[in-house]
Amino acid sequence: MKTPPEFKCKRCLKNFEIESDDFERNTYSYERNMGNETQYNWNYVGNCPHCMNDIEISFDAYEYPVGVLNFEDSELTGCEFISKPIFDIHDENFETDI
């Protein structure tokens, strides 16, 4: 992760970060006309570190064709973005970090 995303709790209005290691990661691959499309997914379920408000965060990034990051999506519950994650396809295996 180049820079961890930063969030604001919707209940206490305080800012907080979540380290990339705290996200559950999944990767899915689908065959398409120009090769595989890969969906990278990060999920976090936890609490605000200040007020224990329930927090759920989901990021998706899609690589298609191989080597091209072509779509990003996110869903947040209990918080909002202060700064969004930066998705980067960074090595020969096209592992994707946030």
Side-chain angles (χ1 to χ4, degrees):
M1 178 184 321
K2 290 182 179 183
T3 308
E6 190 174 359
F7 305 93
K8 180 193 285 188
C9 176
K10 287 187 174 182
R11 185 163 74 183
C12 71
L13 304 178
K14 292 187 178 178
N15 296 357
F16 62 94
E17 291 182 359
I18 299 172
E19 295 300 321
S20 63
D21 291 343
D22 293 335
F23 283 87
E24 179 183 322
R25 299 175 188 196
N26 296 294
T27 304
Y28 309 95
S29 187
Y30 314 95
E31 184 64 35
R32 293 193 50 195
N33 291 340
M34 296 188 300
N36 284 339
E37 174 181 38
T38 303
Q39 175 187 357
Y40 301 94
N41 174 262
W42 297 266
N43 290 299
Y44 174 83
V45 176
N47 302 96
C48 170
H50 305 287
C51 72
M52 301 308 289
N53 184 32
D54 291 335
I55 302 291
E56 292 184 33
I57 301 165
S58 178
F59 301 125
D60 289 295
Y62 295 83
E63 175 190 4
Y64 180 74
V66 171
V68 177
L69 188 60
N70 70 349
F71 183 73
E72 302 172 16
D73 193 23
S74 58
E75 188 174 319
L76 291 83
T77 302
C79 64
E80 59 189 42
F81 283 116
I82 297 298
S83 63
K84 291 187 175 188
I86 298 172
F87 298 100
D88 182 27
I89 297 171
H90 64 82
D91 71 18
E92 65 278 357
N93 295 320
F94 301 106
E95 295 288 326
T96 304
D97 283 343
I98 58 170

